[in-house]
Amino acid sequence: MCKFKKIIIFFILWGISATAMADAKQDQLQQLIDAKQYQKAYSLAEKLMNARVGEVEFDYLYGQAASGIGKIGEAIFAMQRVIASKPDHFQARLKLARLYLAQKNAEAAYKEVDYLLQLKPPAKIREQAKLLLSKSRSQQARYFTNSLTGYVSLDFGYDSNVNSTIAIDGGYLVAGNTLLLFDESAESRPDNYSRLAGGVTSAYGLGNDFFVFGGLDAYEKKNQKEDKFDATLMSLFGGVGFDLQQQRFTLPLYYQKFLVGHNAYLARTAVSADWQYLYSSDEEFGASLQYGANKFDFLPERDVDNVSLIIGWKKHMKDELSPRLGVNVQFGNDTAKDKLYDQYGRNYSQLDLEASMTVWRDHVPYVNATYRTSTHMAEDPLYNETRKDTFAYFELGWRWYFLDSTFARLGYSYAKNSSNLELYKFERSQYFLGVQYNYF
């Protein structure tokens, strides 16, 4: 009887010791994940698998480790075990939604986040979930065929120099305050304005991961007094694409028409070869090679052909403030169609930066910046000197997402073109307030 008691005590102590050792190993697993040593964490988790699988916290850690080394399928199964045992494990549901996005299963991600929001999680989790909800909607349009997305926006603002320049594709094409642009006086003209914009994009699957897409964008900028400088831009685009695992290849065609005072000013056509790589649900890379032609209605000698290469990166960091960063680097060449006007050709390089974060509930401050240098191909006939410009643009704003698909915004932007030739220098400031509705 005494020996039997000793055996029982031995096994009790052995069990306690084994549990303590397993707990210590799990603590080590947590430390490895915190240090982002995912491969070591995954190897350790495999050793603990037989003893710990099915336990909520272990499965959660195992899923994080598997996700960290790209084993998305294993990570999904682990997170599914977690929420099966503990449906209100908010972090696991959030992680599971991100994993679904990494697999391009945006529909499952949307359902997961929508359910998470119904559980009324803490504010920090709720804000991350709402951002992920928007991302799952947009990626549902991106990765699933037969999709339709769109937006409409209205802004009111003040422009210190409506005569300064024009902007297409988010970048300033023509540096102004010149005899060749809007106003022969080459003077800054301030004014209040309203701007109405909208767009729609649609995609249709052809099977075997092929699809076609198309859409249009347009805006009308109406000045309060200087109506001869009212600006209108209409853009049409369409093309074909192919998805290969986490990569997307597209061949879009573009046509854009820019009007000043409702008179034809510039037409642009372009063809592009684009590549995107979704490294994870929170990070992507991209590249675009584009060939285009700019045709000026009012001064044909300014017509140019354009070749450009753009390389980009975007990242959504998993932090309390949910910071989002984006970087684009662009290299381009404009070649005058008429060699007699080589001064309109140029080589240029450009850097674009964008950043935003969520500081409180649905409030998102953001900043965008552009820096570009350009050197023209021949001497300017007015100065007998080759033109060299440096262009800088800065925008600071605040978005308030008072509805899932609608936000109000307040912002300020400043643009400056510095040049060795006086005629091409200009500055421009804009203040604006508006609202935008997005349809997914």
Side-chain angles (χ1 to χ4, degrees):
M1 187 69 178
C2 184
K3 288 183 178 181
F4 182 70
K5 288 183 178 179
K6 288 181 179 181
I7 292 173
I8 293 175
I9 292 172
F10 170 78
F11 278 106
I12 292 175
L13 293 176
W14 180 81
I16 294 173
S17 176
T19 301
M21 290 178 64
D23 289 341
K25 290 290 185 180
Q26 187 158 309
D27 290 342
Q28 183 183 355
L29 178 59
Q30 178 70 70
Q31 293 169 5
L32 289 171
I33 290 172
D34 292 342
K36 298 183 178 181
Q37 297 181 25
Y38 297 115
Q39 185 59 61
K40 291 183 178 179
Y42 181 77
S43 298
L44 178 58
E46 282 190 312
K47 296 176 182 178
L48 297 174
M49 175 71 76
N50 291 335
R52 291 279 175 153
V53 68
E55 296 181 11
V56 169
E57 291 310 313
F58 171 78
D59 284 339
Y60 180 65
L61 294 175
Y62 177 75
Q64 288 183 292
S67 171
I69 61 172
K71 293 182 178 292
I72 305 301
E74 291 185 30
I76 287 175
F77 290 141
M79 294 302 168
Q80 288 174 338
R81 290 196 299 269
V82 172
I83 63 174
S85 300
K86 190 177 181 182
D88 62 347
H89 197 300
F90 305 129
Q91 293 89 346
R93 286 196 179 275
L94 200 62
K95 181 65 177 178
L96 182 57
R98 290 194 175 104
L99 291 167
Y100 282 141
L101 285 181
Q103 277 198 334
K104 299 192 294 187
N105 191 349
E107 185 177 6
Y110 176 85
K111 291 179 179 179
E112 201 62 56
V113 179
D114 186 58
Y115 185 82
L116 173 59
L117 289 172
Q118 294 179 33
L119 295 176
K120 298 182 180 180
K124 178 181 175 180
I125 298 294
R126 178 176 173 271
E127 299 315 313
Q128 294 182 53
K130 291 188 73 173
L131 287 172
L132 201 59
L133 184 68
S134 176
K135 182 180 293 187
S136 67
R137 283 172 170 172
S138 63
Q139 288 200 14
Q140 192 168 4
R142 174 180 175 183
Y143 290 116
F144 284 81
T145 57
N146 307 333
S147 64
L148 179 68
T149 62
Y151 78 96
V152 61
S153 66
L154 178 63
D155 294 286
F156 299 93
Y158 168 81
D159 190 337
S160 70
N161 194 353
V162 297
N163 179 42
S164 63
T165 188
I166 62 177
I168 292 182
D169 285 337
Y172 288 84
L173 282 179
V174 183
N177 273 358
T178 81
L179 299 176
L180 304 175
L181 199 55
F182 294 168
D183 179 17
E184 62 183 14
S185 69
E187 294 179 353
S188 300
R189 292 176 176 267
D191 203 355
N192 298 316
Y193 70 89
S194 59
R195 183 180 185 274
L196 178 64
V200 62
T201 301
S202 181
Y204 181 80
L206 302 176
N208 296 322
D209 293 322
F210 284 92
F211 60 93
V212 292
F213 63 93
L216 60 90
D217 283 285
Y219 75 72
E220 171 80 10
K221 181 174 177 283
K222 178 70 175 177
N223 298 312
Q224 184 176 356
K225 298 177 181 178
E226 302 288 348
D227 56 355
K228 66 178 180 179
F229 303 126
D230 290 350
T232 306
L233 176 64
M234 296 175 289
S235 302
L236 298 173
F237 59 91
V240 297
F242 173 72
D243 286 329
L244 178 63
Q245 295 179 352
Q246 293 173 265
Q247 300 181 83
R248 165 161 287 192
F249 302 89
T250 53
L251 291 172
L253 298 172
Y254 301 93
Y255 175 78
Q256 297 174 299
K257 188 70 176 180
F258 188 82
L259 297 87
V260 179
H262 299 105
N263 295 313
Y265 182 82
L266 169 67
R268 174 173 172 78
T269 56
V271 59
S272 180
D274 300 343
W275 167 78
Q276 291 175 294
Y277 176 69
L278 191 67
Y279 180 74
S280 70
S281 62
D282 303 302
E283 186 173 12
E284 68 177 71
F285 300 89
S288 175
L289 181 62
Q290 186 175 108
Y291 171 78
N294 297 345
K295 180 177 176 56
F296 289 83
D297 295 90
F298 80 110
L299 201 61
E301 50 265 40
R302 295 200 67 177
D303 294 353
V304 297
D305 293 326
N306 170 264
V307 177
S308 63
L309 172 65
I310 304 173
I311 301 172
W313 167 82
K314 290 183 179 181
K315 173 74 172 179
H316 180 187
M317 299 181 183
K318 302 169 185 176
D319 187 79
E320 183 176 358
L321 297 178
S322 296
R324 295 166 291 281
L325 301 175
V327 180
N328 284 332
V329 179
Q330 181 176 357
F331 304 95
N333 168 265
D334 292 344
T335 301
K337 288 183 178 293
D338 190 334
K339 296 301 180 183
L340 294 175
Y341 299 97
D342 273 347
Q343 68 269 21
Y344 296 124
R346 61 175 180 165
N347 294 312
Y348 63 91
S349 57
Q350 180 170 312
L351 175 66
D352 299 300
L353 303 174
E354 60 181 38
S356 65
M357 64 178 66
T358 302
V359 294
W360 179 69
R361 292 190 178 180
D362 305 306
H363 294 268
V364 181
Y366 69 91
V367 59
N368 299 324
T370 294
Y371 181 81
R372 182 178 66 229
T373 61
S374 60
T375 301
H376 286 246
M377 307 295 288
E379 292 184 352
D380 189 288
L382 297 177
Y383 292 91
N384 293 323
E385 187 176 350
T386 301
R387 176 181 171 186
K388 297 179 180 179
D389 287 6
T390 300
F391 175 79
Y393 174 81
F394 174 82
E395 180 178 332
L396 182 66
W398 193 285
R399 299 189 188 105
W400 172 36
Y401 290 81
F402 57 91
L403 296 173
D404 287 342
S405 56
T406 307
F407 64 83
R409 61 181 163 214
L410 175 68
Y412 165 78
S413 68
Y414 173 77
K416 181 177 182 179
N417 195 75
S418 301
S419 178
N420 62 324
L421 307 183
E422 188 66 27
L423 186 62
Y424 303 103
K425 296 178 180 178
F426 78 88
E427 291 184 77
R428 182 184 198 179
S429 295
Q430 289 182 295
Y431 303 86
F432 56 89
L433 173 67
V435 63
Q436 178 168 318
Y437 167 76
N438 298 308
Y439 170 75
F440 296 97

